[in-house]
Amino acid sequence: MRSADNGVLDVLGKLKSKSMTLTGKGILFVLVFILLPALLIFWVASNQATLAIKQQVSNALVELNIQNHATIDRVMDAIDQNIVNMMSSSLIQQWNTPRPISERQRVKQYVATENLLANYSVKEKYSLFLLEHDAADYYFVPPPDISDSGVFFLDREGGKWLDNALNAGGAGIVQPINQLGFAISPKQTFAYLRAVSDLTTGKRTRNVLVATGIETVIQEALNAINLPEQSRKFLVDQDGVVLAGGNSEFRSFAFPEQGEELRPNVWMTNDSMYVYHDSPMYMNRLVYEIPLKSVLGSHTVVQDIIKITALCYFAVILLFIFYFSKSIVRPMARLAAFTRMYEPGKKMARFKEGERKDEIGLFYSSFFAMTERLNQLVKEKYVMEIKQKESELILLHSQITPHLLYNTLDSVYWYGIRGGVPEVAEMVRDLSTVLRIGLSRGKELIHVREEREHVEAYLHLQEKRYEHSFQFRLEVDPAVENCLLPKVIIQPLVENSILHGIGKMDGEGEVYIRIKEAADEVRITVEDNGFRSVNLSKLSDILTGKADPDQGFGIRNVNKRIQLRFGLSYGLSYDLREEGGLRALIRLPRRFGE
């Protein structure tokens, strides 16, 4: 029977190779002689046409950007000229040097300066900030949070933007500032600032002329620019802050990293074209953001039509090839795919090709019959292995429980012999905890917190048996308290540490138990500082079953239960501590339970 199955598989393998060869030849022919040449020609022609259109459009937009930026610079020149004219007036120069004058003169000087500033204020508004005068002398002057323009006194200290203007060396700068005048919530505006120079001495003063609301004037110049639909235009400073053309959500700008330079002053991405020009005088940049679909126009529509036509053409060719190969190539390819998909033990549905009366139907029927025979054999073997493992688990657990019960009762017995003290009640309570968790209502897996209670109760019993001749420390990571593990796997290790490690150290013995998370595992370490020499190779033989079966029953039982439950990659191992003593390590998969 097995030789017949092998023969069928050999035949299927040969047919599989042949079917893949026929399919490969048909696909190779279409790719090499039809699909690839057509795609190459289309791709080259389309890219060249698209590149030519982009270059022509970008050249025109760069020239338009330069002209529009020159217009904006003229707007800024006009604002700067107004500030220069006001700075040259005697009214502004009178403020450069504070001098004692009467209150009537102060009011007169203030009103005259207010009128001068108001005469120049049309769309943008002009203000004079004085930092050298005593604001108390001009108590009648409204502060900047009341009036939106005029003369303001700031008592020696101004904002950061005023400091920037004073440090600009007499040049004009553009800065974002909080809008002057009354406002429920602070709003920002852009201002042109220039420190006032003393025309008599040639020195700069601590007075600053400010033109606010310049974004309104610049926005009018931007609105006059005509660009393709869905385009954006905005003016930014050297830090990328949008001076005009943005909105409340769009207050800064930077070129997308994913792109390339088409030509100087043109940045291209997959979706947009960015055209820009820099003004060296006012340190700003005019940017156009134009969607490529509006640039390419009807060229994109033509490309889409060609693509759809080409795809339809290729689809017709493929359908023509598949029509002729359907009766042989595709059925054999499906059979080859079934051979790869088949997993022993997994039932497969009957194939419709098996109803055919030719050789193809015979192969399908033979393959299905073979899988049925293999599935039956796998099922029988699987059931036998499951029953064997269950029997081993039941046997191992039934052996460990009497062993624990004997040792615990032995501890209670010896403590009672030595004196009958009230602490016997505590030992009975700990014994109850040990027995309750050890039985666990027949459950094999318990939570880490239950295992901790079990080993802690056991340690209290051993403390009393050995008259507190050793100390112990138990640390549990809160992250693993709800993880599941086989019950009663720490107690045998603790028992060995006491009996063979620290039981006779007269108060100097210590046992350390740590349960923590490591990657996707739960790791349990049991360490002691025992002084006796340990043969690690003998412990390894016990764990692997090479030693005498009567030796090391407890640790062999723990290791075997873990590996039967979780696999050979988990279990128990030993190594020596650098400080002296022995360390036992249990590795378990991290699994949570309710």
Side-chain angles (χ1 to χ4, degrees), residues 358-378:
D358 55 7
E359 289 79 2
I360 300 296
L362 177 61
F363 277 118
Y364 271 87
S365 300
S366 301
F367 176 74
F368 183 78
M370 181 192 65
T371 59
E372 288 292 309
R373 291 192 295 270
L374 290 175
N375 288 343
Q376 184 63 30
L377 293 174
V378 169

Side-chain angles (χ1 to χ4, degrees), residues 410-470:
D410 185 66
S411 299
V412 177
Y413 169 78
W414 283 108
Y415 189 82
I417 290 296
R418 291 175 181 173
V421 293
E423 295 177 346
V424 170
E426 296 180 7
M427 295 185 68
V428 172
R429 182 191 59 191
D430 292 333
L431 175 59
S432 175
T433 300
V434 170
L435 293 176
R436 174 177 54 83
I437 298 176
L439 294 175
S440 300
R441 298 180 181 178
K443 294 188 298 183
E444 172 59 21
L445 296 179
I446 62 175
H447 293 95
V448 168
R449 61 176 181 271
E450 296 177 284
E451 184 72 7
R452 178 194 61 195
E453 294 176 10
H454 180 269
V455 73
E456 193 170 13
Y458 176 78
L459 281 165
H460 287 319
L461 289 171
Q462 296 303 317
E463 272 188 323
K464 294 180 175 60
R465 174 182 175 179
Y466 288 95
E467 297 182 348
H468 298 277
S469 63
F470 68 90

Side-chain angles (χ1 to χ4, degrees), residues 95-194:
W95 294 99
N96 290 341
T97 304
R99 62 184 188 279
I101 57 177
S102 66
E103 182 174 346
R104 179 183 180 84
Q105 291 175 319
R106 288 197 295 270
V107 172
K108 184 178 181 180
Q109 183 182 7
Y110 165 74
V111 171
T113 307
E114 282 275 338
N115 291 333
L116 174 66
L117 295 172
N119 290 336
Y120 279 95
S121 298
V122 183
K123 297 177 181 177
E124 71 278 7
K125 296 185 177 181
Y126 294 91
S127 302
L128 176 63
F129 285 82
L130 305 170
L131 281 71
E132 293 290 346
H133 293 263
D134 189 354
D137 294 339
Y138 296 85
Y139 62 89
F140 52 84
V141 177
D145 56 355
I146 299 298
S147 177
D148 58 356
S149 65
V151 181
F152 302 107
F153 300 85
L154 295 182
D155 280 341
R156 305 284 180 182
E157 295 296 334
K160 182 179 180 182
W161 49 277
L162 284 175
D163 293 337
N164 292 338
L166 295 172
N167 296 328
I173 61 171
V174 177
Q175 288 275 286
I177 68 173
N178 287 333
Q179 188 171 347
L180 304 180
F182 176 75
I184 297 176
S185 59
K187 295 182 180 179
Q188 279 205 329
T189 183
F190 287 94
Y192 184 75
L193 305 94
R194 187 164 180 174

